[in-house]
Amino acid sequence: MHTAVEDEMHDEFFPLVPAPEDGVRWQAPTDVEQHLYKLSRKGDPDAYLRTLAIEGVYYPVRLDHAQAAPAGTHPMLTTETPDGAVVAQVYTPGLLPRPHPVLVYEYVTLGALAQILRDDVDILAVNPATPCEQYFPAGDEDRDAWFDLHGELFDPDALMDRVVTRRTGAPAPGPLLHGLACGAHLCFTNGDAWNTAHWHGMGYRGERERIADDWGVHDRDDWLAVEERLLDREVSPWYWDFVLGARHALTRAAPGARVDPERWRDTVESTLRVRAQETGTPTDDREFGEFTGHLRALVGEILRYEARFRADGLLPPDGTVRSVAAWDLGRASKMARWGRGARYATESEMRTAIERASAGARDVYDSWEEFSAGYVLGRCLHFDEERFGSWYTTVLDAHRALTTDPDSPWRTVPFHLVP
């Protein structure tokens, strides 16, 4: 657990968004809040609840309570009205405030909320003190109705594989926004707003579980180590870019000429032998021979992937992949946010890591399309094993959406920053 630093202290425990002046249309943070604003103005609470059943909500919890709560329990902040009614407040993701050192938010579906809400809660306040606020009675019959709506409408797959963009509250153009855009593949896959810097993700517990299950990150030290390895591009095997670099060297030596695959393989092997001799590594044993054979075979694997990429429009007709650096850097951009959501990272650490991911990407690539192709190849080499199955098709879908959707960061954030 990190110790809160001075720049993290603030008094924005809950959202406070003034209503727009008469005749002025409110610009909501995301499309969800804009829709809820429209429904609240129309006086359509049933449609409002149906939207919550589709999207889910976040409820506030004191951080020390969240840390101390046994598994399966759900501490939740409540307030009391002057006449003694107990109120539970929940929010949709676009309205969540910047993370606070003593308060966290947990994600919950409307159906789960119906089950975990304390028996003494009388009123559910949704997005209170904002232009799209709405209040609902929370009696037994009401909770039964929420549960039924969840069963009818909630589909976790529908919340994924989509471009979500904040309309307000995003960082200004610069390294931070560019670094957030480097995580666009994962934001698309998870259905997260790509330009949200005040990160809550799947909620406090959800973010901790995510990086524990997927990355083995269980504390601050684990997060620091994994984030640094991603930013240094040391999570992916070094020899992927070694093999790609051999072709790049041949291309520089003969610009415009097609690199012969066998010459590429020979260059990989000869360069590897030179490096082994320089480091005193034996080159006449079985282990070195098997590794050399693996790298020669990797040339063919890369060529076959690139041919498929060109056929699918992921690369131009004569395009190749320069580097798989994007595979680590794109994940570093999201790991920075996941670490913040889990409270393993400070605000400044998260921002610095995201800006480093941006700098690393700009050092290697010349466009978002190049960055994406590198990310896709890295993912395929890691998971796909030339099956061209879902590990490839899902990320291809993401690439197509991110390079065509007008709200995508890759259509709105220039790859090269203006000095």
Side-chain angles (χ1 to χ4, degrees):
M1 182 55 55
H2 80 270
T3 301
V5 293
E6 185 176 345
D7 65 358
E8 294 180 287
M9 299 302 296
H10 58 85
D11 56 5
E12 298 173 27
F13 293 95
F14 312 113
L16 178 59
V17 183
E21 297 179 5
D22 290 343
V24 177
R25 180 177 179 271
W26 181 52
Q27 177 61 70
T30 76
D31 291 345
V32 171
E33 290 79 27
Q34 199 72 57
H35 182 58
L36 294 177
Y37 177 59
K38 178 180 178 181
L39 295 176
S40 63
R41 288 174 61 84
K42 285 175 58 178
D44 193 344
D46 291 339
Y48 193 110
L49 268 177
R50 294 177 72 85
T51 303
L52 300 184
I54 293 170
E55 297 288 338
V57 293
Y58 293 76
Y59 62 87
V61 185
R62 278 179 44 173
L63 177 57
D64 56 346
H65 289 178
Q67 293 169 339
T73 62
H74 304 276
M76 186 183 305
L77 283 177
T78 59
T79 56
E80 193 169 310
T81 66
D83 60 1
V86 178
V87 181
Q89 59 206 70
V90 298
Y91 301 90
T92 49
L95 285 167
L96 294 175
R98 55 180 167 150
H100 194 282
V102 301
L103 190 75
V104 294
Y105 285 83
E106 299 283 21
Y107 173 78
V108 66
T109 66
L110 189 62
L113 182 65
Q115 296 177 307
I116 68 173
L117 202 63
R118 290 202 325 251
D119 291 341
D120 64 338
V121 172
D122 303 299
I123 299 171
L124 181 68
V126 185
N127 294 330
T130 75
C132 62
E133 66 184 4
Q134 194 70 254
Y135 299 86
F136 298 93
D140 291 343
E141 291 184 1
D142 302 297
R143 300 182 197 204
D144 289 343
W146 304 347
F147 190 81
D148 290 342
L149 282 175
H150 167 83
E152 175 190 349
L153 298 171
F154 185 72
D155 177 5
D157 292 339
L159 300 180
M160 304 172 70
D161 298 328
R162 58 181 183 172
V163 175
V164 181
T165 300
R166 288 190 68 97
R167 312 295 182 192
T168 64
L176 179 60
L177 188 67
H178 186 278
L180 291 171
C182 289
H185 264 296
L186 280 166
C187 286
F188 177 86
T189 299
N190 296 330
D192 298 322
W194 68 269
N195 55 346
T196 294
H198 298 323
W199 189 256
H200 296 274
M202 296 170 62
Y204 174 69
R205 287 188 183 181
E207 294 299 88
R208 288 194 157 213
E209 290 170 1
R210 185 210 302 263
I211 55 179
D213 294 344
D214 295 345
W215 289 88
V217 171
H218 299 279
D219 56 29
R220 172 172 166 76
D221 288 342
D222 287 345
W223 176 80
L224 286 167
V226 167
E227 182 66 34
E228 193 64 27
R229 289 184 63 220
L230 284 168
L231 289 169
D232 288 342
R233 297 159 48 188
E234 294 177 348
V235 173
S236 296
W238 62 268
Y239 50 82
W240 291 353
D241 263 3
F242 174 78
V243 170
L244 289 169
R247 177 176 60 184
H248 189 55
L250 292 171
T251 302
R252 288 201 310 270
R258 176 181 175 273
V259 173
D260 176 72
E262 196 59 28
R263 187 183 179 201
W264 182 9
R265 293 184 181 95
D266 290 343
T267 301
V268 168
E269 180 172 350
S270 62
T271 305
L272 186 65
R273 290 185 178 278
V274 169
R275 290 193 178 185
Q277 292 171 358
E278 292 174 347
T279 59
T281 302
T283 59
D284 55 356
D285 60 6
R286 177 180 175 182
E287 183 178 354
F288 185 84
E290 290 178 346
F291 184 61
T292 300
H294 175 67
L295 265 57
R296 291 182 69 94
L298 184 59
V299 169
E301 186 176 358
I302 291 170
L303 287 169
R304 290 186 290 275
Y305 270 118
E306 289 177 331
R308 178 63 179 268
F309 290 2
R310 288 189 286 270
D312 289 338
L314 201 150
L315 283 174
D318 59 348
T320 60
V321 177
R322 182 186 309 181
S323 167
V324 293
W327 176 232
D328 278 0
L329 294 172
R331 293 182 295 169
S333 172
K334 281 309 290 285
M335 180 58 71
R337 284 170 270 187
W338 294 333
R340 183 70 184 123
R343 292 300 197 273
Y344 297 144
T346 67
E347 183 79 8
S348 59
E349 285 169 340
M350 179 198 73
R351 288 171 175 261
T352 297
I354 291 171
E355 291 179 356
R356 285 178 61 190
S358 166
R362 287 180 282 116
D363 282 346
V364 175
Y365 301 103
D366 290 325
S367 70
W368 287 119
E369 289 79 8
E370 275 193 350
F371 177 90
S372 182
Y375 182 95
V376 175
L377 180 59
R379 176 180 162 113
C380 287
L381 293 176
H382 191 145
F383 291 117
D384 184 61
E385 298 178 341
E386 288 195 85
R387 294 188 177 94
F388 297 99
S390 61
W391 286 112
Y392 171 62
T393 57
T394 54
V395 79
L396 174 64
D397 290 343
H399 171 89
R400 287 171 170 166
L402 289 165
T403 53
T404 59
D405 191 302
D407 282 338
S408 165
W410 298 353
R411 297 292 302 276
T412 57
V413 178
F415 189 81
H416 292 292
L417 300 182
V418 177

